[in-house]
Amino acid sequence: MTLTREPELSSPPRPDRTGRKSALTYKHRLSRLDVKLSPYLYISPFFVLFGVVGLFPLVYTFVVSLNKWNLLSGPGEWIGFDNYVAELNDPLFWNSLFNTMSIFLLSSIPQLIAATFIAAVLDQNLRAKTFWRMSVLIPYVVTPVAVALIFSNMFSEQNGMINHLLSFVGVDPVMWKTDVFPSHIAIASMVNWRWTGYNALILLAAMQSVPRDIHESAALDGAGFFRRFFSITLPSIRPTMIFVIITATIGGLQIFTEPRLYDATTPTPGGAHRQFQTTVLYLWEMAFQRQNFGKASAVAFILFIIIVAFGVLNFLISQRIATTDSRTDVKTAKRVLRRKAAADREAALASSAAGEPLDSPPSSTLPTGAKEPRS
């Protein structure tokens, strides 16, 4: 007789002396930690650089603005918000803020209009498109110092090219460096010449992302170029337009190089009578000529608050425009559907009056329980 023995059940593996099981557990934990922390490590360089280059100087500037700080002797006594009160009561600060706003409006508005027009032209089917698109970027490549020196000679009051050209049409020489408004126009022309092509390329990239099928359908429906541009192109590039407006606002409120080098012969930065002294130029004078770092930091922080306020205002206006446009689109769609339903009903009534049977129900047939749109 043969006896059969059942195989013994193998016991579960036990960790050996080398600790292999514990090593696998450590790897598993490390893998889970990698999945959780890797995304934060990948984006951390930006926040680290922002904290070192952007956030720390901002906080440190606010701390300096609360002290009586001299360039040579260093930090002095704590005076709180006295620097802010002194600057808000200083007429030179308000003069610089007025000059900044004037140059900003004279540069940003024409610049955005010209950039949009150039981008629309470059978006067409032109010959040598790459050449023209690269040509508008040439002014941006030129250094601001060279641009300021060239325009300073062009707008010279004695032998400048602009006054020489105006003399041919009987216009008296304009005091481009002495009067307030002409000096603002001259400085704004420098900013427009340098930054228009850069913004045009950004808007051009946004225009090229608009589907061509929409333009072709609108053209088949009889829409002309301007109709398609204002009804299709501009609404489609609204986010890019908002970006360009915000960057132009930040750059316009921080303008420094152009007014600093426009008339470098005057001992006072910004003209003999401060007729084109901007806020950043006034800040530079306060810090490095008057050696008052406390007031200069207060001016810098006030300018920071103004820029943030402009940015929030642009955002709110853009959101308001987007909401209004969406409501308009919904109303337009409802109106089109009502007209289509009315036309289908008229066609159905005309067919029934003629005695022609309807092969299929009209397109305006609504499902059960739905309300029929008003005609």
Side-chain angles (χ1 to χ4, degrees):
M1 154 175 143
T2 306
L3 297 177
T4 58
R5 300 179 59 184
E6 296 181 358
E8 298 180 357
L9 297 177
S10 59
S11 59
R14 298 178 180 178
D16 53 7
R17 294 181 180 180
T18 58
R20 185 176 181 181
K21 186 176 181 180
S22 60
L24 291 176
T25 304
Y26 172 75
K27 290 182 179 180
H28 181 67
R29 292 179 179 178
L30 185 62
S31 176
R32 294 180 61 184
L33 190 64
D34 176 57
V35 172
K36 292 181 179 180
L37 296 182
S38 291
Y40 300 98
L41 293 177
Y42 295 150
I43 64 175
S44 62
F46 166 77
F47 291 98
V48 172
L49 290 177
F50 172 75
V52 174
V53 181
L55 188 60
F56 173 74
L58 182 63
V59 176
Y60 192 74
T61 300
F62 180 71
V63 174
V64 172
S65 66
L66 302 177
N67 292 270
K68 190 176 181 180
W69 200 296
N70 187 269
L71 176 62
L72 299 178
S73 61
E77 59 179 342
W78 179 277
I79 60 175
F81 291 93
D82 291 348
N83 287 328
Y84 292 90
V85 175
E87 288 303 319
L88 292 177
N89 293 324
D90 190 354
L92 296 180
F93 168 74
W94 292 105
N95 174 70
S96 67
L97 191 61
F98 167 76
N99 295 335
T100 302
M101 293 298 176
S102 177
I103 296 173
F104 161 68
L105 294 176
L106 291 173
S107 60
S108 298
I109 297 177
Q111 178 187 146
L112 294 175
I113 295 175
T116 306
F117 174 76
I118 294 174
V121 173
L122 294 177
D123 194 32
Q124 306 303 312
N125 190 14
L126 302 176
R127 294 183 179 180
K129 292 186 294 185
T130 305
F131 170 76
W132 296 114
R133 293 173 183 176
M134 295 302 297
S135 298
V136 298
L137 199 60
I138 292 177
Y140 177 73
V141 179
V142 182
T143 59
V145 177
V147 175
L149 293 177
I150 293 173
F151 275 79
S152 178
N153 292 326
M154 289 175 55
F155 287 96
S156 177
E157 298 175 351
Q158 301 297 330
N159 301 315
M161 184 185 70
I162 303 299
N163 281 340
H164 185 68
L165 294 176
L166 292 176
S167 64
F168 286 107
V169 294
V171 179
D172 295 333
V174 180
M175 307 303 290
W176 295 106
K177 296 184 178 180
T178 305
D179 295 339
V180 177
F181 189 67
S183 62
H184 293 180
I185 293 177
I187 296 174
S189 64
M190 284 190 280
V191 179
N192 292 334
W193 186 82
R194 186 166 183 262
W195 289 98
T196 300
Y198 174 81
N199 292 326
L201 287 185
I202 295 178
L203 295 175
L204 174 62
M207 290 180 183
Q208 289 182 335
S209 63
V210 180
R212 297 297 176 182
D213 298 340
I214 302 178
H215 289 277
E216 294 176 357
S217 301
L220 292 175
D221 291 339
F225 173 77
F226 292 100
R227 178 66 175 176
R228 296 197 307 270
F229 179 77
F230 287 103
S231 300
I232 297 176
T233 305
L234 286 184
S236 301
I237 65 172
R238 185 185 296 111
T240 306
M241 185 68 72
I242 295 172
F243 168 78
V244 171
I245 291 174
I246 292 177
T247 54
T249 302
I250 295 174
L253 295 178
Q254 293 180 343
I255 184 173
F256 172 78
T257 306
E258 288 82 359
R260 177 68 183 90
L261 299 177
Y262 178 59
D263 192 6
T265 58
T266 58
T268 304
H273 304 287
R274 304 177 187 272
Q275 61 270 19
F276 53 88
Q277 185 182 62
T278 59
T279 304
V280 179
L281 195 55
Y282 171 73
L283 184 156
W284 177 83
E285 179 193 3
M286 182 66 68
F288 297 102
Q289 290 189 357
R290 304 186 190 182
Q291 300 180 359
N292 193 332
F293 263 36
K295 289 187 176 181
S297 300
V299 174
F301 211 82
I302 293 174
L303 182 61
F304 167 74
I305 295 175
I306 293 174
I307 293 175
V308 171
F310 269 88
V312 173
L313 182 62
N314 288 331
F315 176 76
L316 294 178
I317 293 175
S318 62
Q319 289 294 107
R320 181 69 176 177
I321 293 175
T323 306
T324 304
D325 290 346
S326 62
R327 292 177 180 175
T328 304
D329 294 340
V330 172
K331 292 181 180 179
T332 304
K334 291 181 178 179
R335 185 165 56 250
V336 170
L337 290 176
R338 286 197 298 265
R339 291 177 180 177
K340 185 177 180 181
D344 291 340
R345 285 198 303 269
E346 292 178 358
L349 292 175
S351 300
S352 60
E356 297 178 359
L358 293 176
D359 297 334
S360 59
S363 59
S364 60
T365 302
L366 299 176
T368 305
K371 294 183 179 180
E372 186 177 358
R374 300 177 181 176
S375 58

